[in-house]
Amino acid sequence: ILQALDVFGTAVFAFSGALKAGKKGMDIIGMMILASITAVGGGTLRDVLMMVFWMRTPLYIEISCITAVLTYYFWPKISQRFETSNFICTFDALGLAAFCVVGVQQAVERGLALTLCVVSGLMTATFGGIIRDVICGEQPRIM
Amino acid sequence: ILQALDVFGTAVFAFSGALKAGKKGMDIIGMMILASITAVGGGTLRDVLMMVFWMRTPLYIEISCITAVLTYYFWPKISQRFETSNFICTFDALGLAAFCVVGVQQAVERGLALTLCVVSGLMTATFGGIIRDVICGEQPRIM
Amino acid sequence: ILQALDVFGTAVFAFSGALKAGKKGMDIIGMMILASITAVGGGTLRDVLMMVFWMRTPLYIEISCITAVLTYYFWPKISQRFETSNFICTFDALGLAAFCVVGVQQAVERGLALTLCVVSGLMTATFGGIIRDVICGEQPRIM
């Protein structure tokens, strides 16, 4: 039954992608590509993320959600007390420092070359803030 | 010979990235980053996707392509009969339901914590539609 | 200590994501999602990329950086001699050809089905240029 649901979901999503492509006036190649991406996109993200650190323990997602809930309930106080933009900047700086150390350390433990340790530290520290800003439709602060 | 092609391709793409960065007036750090991303981007996507489900069997890509080809040939009938936007919505809803079950089931099979099963279901169900809409330059329907 | 830094960084980045969500007027669900993405985004990218080819040898990143540095120092000559846009096009074409062969070969070595070898060649060849153009805020040349 699960296999059937999977095939059914794939066909249905592929169809929704192909319809969208048709509406946009794409040709048959564009239609095949958009149908494929729509159909396998969700499962691809799931499979890729199944391999990362926060899938081995719910700890990280839980910390994030609790922080969000607390921020939500104390929002009136928080937004009143602090000029939000500078405030985000301060917390970003703290996070950057902490995650840069974590990222380099992880690469060192795997015995990577020096260049790659630097790349690992850089990515771990900056990427979270970059996608946050992209999702909010802003130029990433870091660039 | 393959190794040589790989190094050659890397240098050539890095150069094309660096040229673009120069044209945009970036500094040397920006140039190094853009050259690196351009050079290793393709191979990175390939290596990452080599590990996901639809690389183990061509079934999913074939279903998607067949669906796209059928949609293409019946396009006059389809676009005439149905108001396309609502139609996409209906198929999206069917796909969401099917893939949500598949995503949660996959997480349960791996013995993940409850929070992570929810995250897995959510991602599997929604991400395909999100990238479809982003590629088409629209606000994702889900947000 | 490393574990503590990790938890600290997670909380701090989650808070910066939640603040941004609050500033944008999102509800509690949006806040939880944005806080989570901001907090685990960097580590996710790091973990995913730890598995790809250019993390096994610093060669690729070094080729890219050296190419960028050379381009930077010869920039006055380069930008003077050639009309940059056509020039990028030529190098892109060379890279596409080289990487397409590499991508297909990699898939053949893993014994993948024909459809998937085509997909692998396509992705390896085109994706670097696509993200380069997206980062520069342009419509990808390939579309």
Side-chain angles (χ1 to χ4, degrees), chain C:
Chain C
I1 180 114
L2 206 70
Q3 180 68 25
L5 266 179
D6 205 13
V7 168
F8 172 75
T10 304
V12 160
F13 264 123
F15 187 44
S16 106
L19 280 175
K20 186 83 150 209
K23 227 178 120 194
K24 293 271 159 186
M26 294 185 186
D27 64 356
I28 194 167
I29 299 292
M31 235 176 202
M32 282 164 71
I33 292 177
L34 197 61
S36 300
I37 290 177
T38 309
V40 302
T44 301
L45 185 67
R46 179 198 62 215
D47 278 13
V48 168
L49 296 188
M50 281 293 177
M51 295 171 289
V52 303
F53 68 101
W54 54 269
M55 273 295 179
R56 283 191 292 274
T57 152
L59 181 70
Y60 297 94
I61 297 294
E62 282 168 5
I63 293 177
S64 304
C65 287
I66 290 167
T67 309
V69 170
L70 291 177
T71 311
Y72 187 76
Y73 282 111
F74 294 108
W75 186 245
K77 265 191 196 159
I78 288 169
S79 64
Q80 192 189 335
R81 267 258 199 97
F82 308 96
E83 204 280 290
T84 326
S85 237
N86 280 333
F87 203 44
I88 293 179
C89 220
T90 314
F91 279 86
D92 243 26
L94 288 172
L96 282 173
F99 273 6
C100 192
V101 176
V102 173
V104 172
Q105 184 60 32
Q106 291 255 349
V108 169
E109 267 168 29
R110 290 176 201 225
L112 297 187
L114 184 64
T115 330
L116 299 176
C117 292
V118 173
V119 172
S120 170
L122 219 86
M123 291 190 313
T124 310
T126 59
F127 193 68
I130 292 178
I131 36 172
R132 181 199 58 207
D133 292 350
V134 167
I135 289 174
C136 290
E138 294 177 13
Q139 175 83 354
R141 186 189 303 278
I142 205 180
M143 287 181 178

Side-chain angles (χ1 to χ4, degrees), chain A residues 58-132:
Chain A
L59 180 69
Y60 297 95
I61 298 294
E62 283 168 6
I63 292 177
S64 304
C65 287
I66 290 166
T67 310
V69 170
L70 290 177
T71 312
Y72 187 77
Y73 282 110
F74 294 107
W75 186 245
K77 264 191 198 162
I78 288 170
S79 64
Q80 192 190 335
R81 268 260 200 97
F82 308 95
E83 202 280 289
T84 325
S85 236
N86 280 332
F87 203 43
I88 293 179
C89 220
T90 313
F91 279 87
D92 243 26
L94 288 172
L96 282 172
F99 273 5
C100 192
V101 176
V102 173
V104 172
Q105 184 60 31
Q106 290 255 349
V108 169
E109 265 167 30
R110 290 175 202 225
L112 297 187
L114 183 64
T115 330
L116 299 176
C117 291
V118 173
V119 172
S120 170
L122 220 87
M123 290 190 315
T124 309
T126 60
F127 194 68
I130 292 178
I131 38 174
R132 180 199 59 207

